[in-house]
Amino acid sequence: NLAELLIMTDEERTDPALFIKKACGATIIDLIPSFYDSLCIYLERKELSDIFRSSKIRLSLSASEPLKVETLKKIIKNLPQSKFVNMYGLTETCGIVTTFPVDTNLVEQSVEYYVPIGTPLPETITKLNDDGELLVKSSVISPNVILEGGYYNTGDLMKLDANGNLIYISRNDRQIKISGKRINLVEIDRNIELHPIIDKSVSIFDDHSKKIITYVKINCNIDNMH
């Protein structure tokens, strides 16, 4: 069967209200969790919620960032006709490696903060090392990355639930993802500290505002400081 690709204009892509109206003509959507968060705010408006509920969307996909259970519950409420699949991928190496077809009943009863990323795809092997870091072995991993014993160290700390599904916990370094793009906070601090007036820089990611906040210590020994 042929499928039609709906392409958003820049205005529709950056305005969630316009996006909702355009997306309702699609049958499959694939969005990053932070965009779903933005949609949830707008879906509090009844007129937009009604449009979304009556849409043609039958499959909703998510990847690139950890998906919060709270966010998924809101999306499910507004897309009762849609199935949902949460995915986990290694954008810098090979793409999607695990999937989790959502059971809405289990999600409603979940006490976890993040939605599971599920189990590995065929021909992909995952395991957790002693520190809880996820290791991935796959024939499609780029040959340009460093492997240990054939496994790629993702840097993501995980745990297994009672059903054997992987659940994201945190990073084991200071890398974060914003809008699906990986950012290393260490690199930000390193570059800020190149300025002669800065003695120390510490950057953090504020999950509430979705912004990077940087604290700096000024070098008070610099002469002629303004």
Side-chain angles (χ1 to χ4, degrees):
N1 295 332
L2 296 178
E4 180 183 358
L5 178 64
L6 296 181
I7 300 178
M8 302 285 179
T9 64
D10 287 343
E11 185 179 13
E12 291 167 335
R13 181 175 52 82
T14 55
D15 185 328
L18 292 177
F19 179 90
I20 288 170
K21 295 175 182 178
K22 180 69 172 286
C24 287
T27 54
I28 301 174
I29 58 173
D30 184 357
L31 305 175
I32 59 176
S34 54
F35 198 93
Y36 277 116
D37 279 329
S38 298
L39 289 185
C40 288
I41 296 173
Y42 281 78
L43 289 173
E44 292 177 1
R45 292 161 51 180
K46 186 178 185 303
E47 68 274 18
L48 293 178
S49 177
D50 288 343
I51 292 173
F52 216 45
R53 284 172 176 266
S54 61
S55 72
K56 299 178 181 178
I57 299 170
R58 58 178 174 78
L59 177 61
S60 306
L61 306 172
S62 176
S64 298
E65 298 170 349
L67 175 64
K68 292 180 288 188
V69 171
E70 176 188 0
T71 299
L72 181 56
K73 287 180 179 179
K74 292 178 181 178
I75 293 297
I76 290 174
K77 179 182 178 181
N78 285 282
L79 282 177
Q81 77 283 7
S82 178
K83 293 183 178 179
F84 202 101
V85 178
N86 192 32
M87 306 181 294
Y88 171 84
L90 307 170
T91 305
E92 65 274 25
T93 58
C94 65
I96 301 300
V97 292
T98 74
T99 58
F100 178 70
V102 171
D103 181 324
T104 54
N105 292 326
L106 291 179
V107 169
E108 287 298 326
Q109 300 169 10
S110 176
V111 295
E112 299 289 347
Y113 186 73
Y114 291 120
V115 178
I117 62 168
T119 55
L121 293 173
E123 300 184 10
T124 299
I125 302 173
T126 60
K127 68 177 183 179
L128 301 179
N129 65 15
D130 293 341
D131 297 322
E133 180 185 5
L134 179 65
L135 310 181
V136 175
K137 177 185 284 189
S138 172
S139 60
V140 296
I141 289 183
S142 169
N144 299 319
V145 300
I146 299 175
L147 301 178
E148 294 185 11
Y151 285 87
Y152 174 69
N153 292 35
T154 66
D156 290 324
L157 300 179
M158 305 270 183
K159 66 179 181 179
L160 290 171
D161 68 11
N163 298 310
N165 292 301
L166 290 160
I167 301 179
Y168 175 83
I169 300 175
S170 65
R171 290 285 300 179
N172 67 354
D173 55 22
R174 297 186 63 219
Q175 287 190 8
I176 61 172
K177 273 193 175 183
I178 300 179
S179 298
K181 297 179 181 179
R182 194 176 294 280
I183 298 172
N184 193 333
L185 297 178
V186 173
E187 293 179 357
I188 293 176
D189 292 331
R190 185 181 297 128
N191 281 278
I192 291 177
E193 289 172 0
L194 291 176
H195 195 286
I197 202 175
I198 304 300
D199 186 48
K200 182 68 176 176
S201 170
V202 177
S203 298
I204 63 171
F205 177 66
D206 181 64
D207 191 58
H208 179 71
S209 65
K210 303 298 181 183
K211 293 181 179 179
I212 295 173
I213 301 173
T214 299
Y215 300 88
V216 296
K217 178 182 178 182
I218 303 298
N219 188 341
C220 298
N221 296 322
I222 297 293
D223 294 332
N224 301 319
M225 184 173 63
H226 298 286

